[in-house]
Each structure stands twice: as structure tokens, then as C-alpha cells.
Amino acid sequence: MIVGPLRSLSARVPGAVRRIVLTMKPQVVFVLGGPGAGKGTQCAKIVEHYGYTHLSAGDLLREERGRPDSKSGQIIDSYIKEGKIVPVEITINLLRKAMEKTMMANENKFRFLIDGFPRNQDNLQGWTREMDGKADVKFVLFFDCDNEVCVGRCLERGKSSGRSDDNRESLVKRIQTYLQCTRPIIEQYEQQGKVRTIDASRSVDEVFDSVKKVLDKEG
Ligand code: ADP
Ligand code: C5P
Ligand code: MG
């Protein structure tokens, strides 16, 4: 039987793994910033140096889109190309399953970097509905980067990423979504004193030096 904060989530997990006892409440850092701000790059470095598991909402959505039996594949595909935010019911399920899987495999892995989420009010409401009381949001790591720099990085990444949205047309829409939908979420957390802002327009190593200062102070 599973006890602890993920008990109700784990009720949906099939039989064999149910005996694991999850005692720790997931500790979450939301990682936000414009497209190409360097969220994924910095999360990979954080994982190397600190005991966090990196879950990228975008990566999880792309993985789900690629699953032949996925019921949401087509809807995810169209939202991603349009730079729009996929309905939270889809995304929260993927995040929750990934968190469960991580903690089932190792109950000490309860620290998560949730990258690219919550990106709009719908994401935030979905999180609150499903995860309030079941996970603690410690703070938001905000990679602040000029839009032009972000676009330039994504276009450069597009030369090899194979991503359907690393092109100018999608990027105009992604930046618009970021400014209209995601910035207000960051501002909401800012008002709660929960945002740690990093100047992400510098080199990867300079950015990471600032990230380390935040994490060394806050865990
Ligand atoms: P995000 O996850 O925020 O979209 P990525 O980490 O995937 O951003 O980075 C986008 C692109 O920019 C990648 O090709 C990456 O190698 C590059 N990149 C990341 N951080 C920097 C940086 N500080 N300076 C220059 N290029 C960077
Ligand atoms: O974070 P990333 O750049 O990988 O996200 C790519 C796309 O995935 C977004 O532009 C959006 O269409 C989709 N996405 C989403 N909801 C999230 C995160 C990503 O719909 N929370
Ligand atoms: Mg990314």
C-alpha cells in the first residue's frame, strides 16, 4: 500500500509497484523563460550537480505525440506548431506520471525541476486542482532573456533539432504566447516573492554560476 502525498496519484498505478511506500512530498522548482532562453541547457547542468530530476513539459508532450497509440498526438501536434499551450489535462497527466515513475524507482528522488510549466492560467489552474497539497512549489527559476536573443538561439537550434516549431513562423507565435500568457504567470509568482530571476542572455557558464548561487542558498 502506498502512503504519503502521492497516495491518491499512485492509486492509478498498476498492481505490482503499489507496495512501495512514498513518504516524501515532491519538492518542485518551476523553470520558466522564453523559448530558447536556455531552460533545458541549464536544467541538464543542475541535474549534473544537484539531486534534481528534470521534467520538461515540452519534451513530455513531444514524446506523447510520437506514441503510435496516443489519443492526444494530433492535438499536441497542432498546438505545438501553432505555438499554443496544450490543454492542461493532457500535460498534467504526463507530468504526474513522470513524477510517479521517478519516485517509484527511487523514493529519494523527490526533487523535480519542472521545465516549461505552468505556461498559462489553464496550466496553473490544472496544477492547483491536481497537485495542491500533494507537491510543494519551492520557487520559480526564471531565465530572463531578450526576445531577439531567444529567437536567434531557437533558429540556430532548428538547424539540427528537427523540431517543427524552431522556425521563424512558429517562433513569432511562441514569443507572442510567452508574452501574453506566460509572463503574467511569472508576475503572479513574483508578487508572492517566489521568483528567482537569472540574466540568461550571458554565456552558458555565466548563467550557470548565477543558478548555482540560487540553488546553494535555497537547496
Ligand atoms: P529552452 O529549453 O529554454 O528552449 P535550450 O536550453 O534548448 O532552451 O537552448 C536553446 C538553444 O540555445 C540550444 O541550441 C542551446 O544549445 C543554446 N543555448 C542555451 N543556452 C545558451 C547560452 N547561454 N548562450 C548561447 N546559446 C545557448
Ligand atoms: O518548452 P518547449 O519549448 O519544449 O515547448 C514547446 C511547445 O510545447 C510549446 O511552444 C507549446 O506548444 C508546448 N507546451 C505546452 N504546454 C507546456 C509546455 C510546452 O503546450 N506547459
Ligand atoms: Mg526546452
Side-chain angles (χ1 to χ4, degrees):
M1 195 192 79
I2 293 175
V3 297
L6 280 184
R7 183 185 54 233
S8 58
L9 310 179
S10 305
R12 294 167 212 184
V13 173
V17 282
R18 286 202 181 183
R19 291 182 64 79
I20 296 170
V21 177
L22 298 175
T23 50
M24 292 306 296
K25 199 187 246 194
Q27 301 293 299
V28 170
V29 174
F30 286 143
V31 181
L32 292 174
K39 302 181 292 295
T41 303
Q42 294 298 325
C43 284
K45 291 179 80 69
I46 295 170
V47 167
E48 266 177 48
H49 292 82
Y50 301 85
Y52 278 92
T53 300
H54 174 211
L55 299 178
S56 154
D59 286 350
L60 290 168
L61 288 164
R62 282 184 287 273
E63 198 183 307
E64 177 65 22
R65 176 183 62 179
R67 223 167 259 140
D69 57 340
S70 172
K71 291 192 187 91
S72 336
Q74 276 189 344
I75 183 166
I76 295 173
D77 194 45
S78 64
Y79 273 75
I80 286 182
K81 272 195 205 126
E82 287 302 308
K84 292 196 300 189
I85 308 304
V86 172
V88 70
E89 290 73 19
I90 296 174
T91 316
I92 199 87
N93 251 326
L94 297 172
L95 285 170
R96 190 175 47 200
K97 275 195 270 179
M99 288 167 77
E100 282 176 7
K101 195 174 161 198
T102 305
M103 292 182 72
M104 291 286 181
N106 180 349
E107 65 178 304
N108 293 321
K109 303 251 1 148
F110 57 89
R111 290 189 186 85
F112 295 93
L113 297 166
I114 300 195
D115 159 5
F117 185 96
R119 256 187 157 103
N120 65 1
Q121 291 293 349
D122 176 56
N123 274 191
L124 183 56
Q125 282 162 9
W127 174 271
T128 306
R129 214 164 37 235
E130 295 288 327
M131 302 302 286
D132 218 21
K134 295 174 189 156
D136 290 335
V137 178
K138 290 171 30 166
F139 56 91
V140 174
L141 202 50
F142 168 38
F143 290 103
D144 191 13
C145 192
D146 185 79
N147 292 337
E148 284 308 308
V149 174
C150 283
V151 169
R153 286 182 187 172
C154 288
L155 290 175
E156 192 58 34
R157 181 176 62 188
K159 291 178 184 168
S160 59
S161 68
R163 280 178 55 160
S164 59
D165 59 350
D166 277 346
N167 57 74
R168 244 181 224 287
E169 201 188 333
S170 293
L171 277 160
V172 169
K173 296 172 182 165
R174 290 166 69 194
I175 293 285
Q176 207 174 0
T177 300
Y178 168 66
L179 295 174
Q180 283 175 1
C181 305
T182 311
R183 289 300 298 241
I185 301 296
I186 297 167
E187 274 153 33
Q188 261 172 261
Y189 277 112
E190 186 86 66
Q191 278 162 19
Q192 299 167 29
K194 280 198 153 186
V195 177
R196 309 293 174 264
T197 301
I198 309 277
D199 172 4
S201 59
R202 299 165 297 160
S203 74
V204 170
D205 288 343
E206 284 170 326
V207 175
F208 190 58
D209 277 345
S210 300
V211 169
K212 277 196 291 197
K213 285 191 186 117
V214 171
L215 292 179
D216 288 343
K217 196 167 157 214
E218 316 228 17

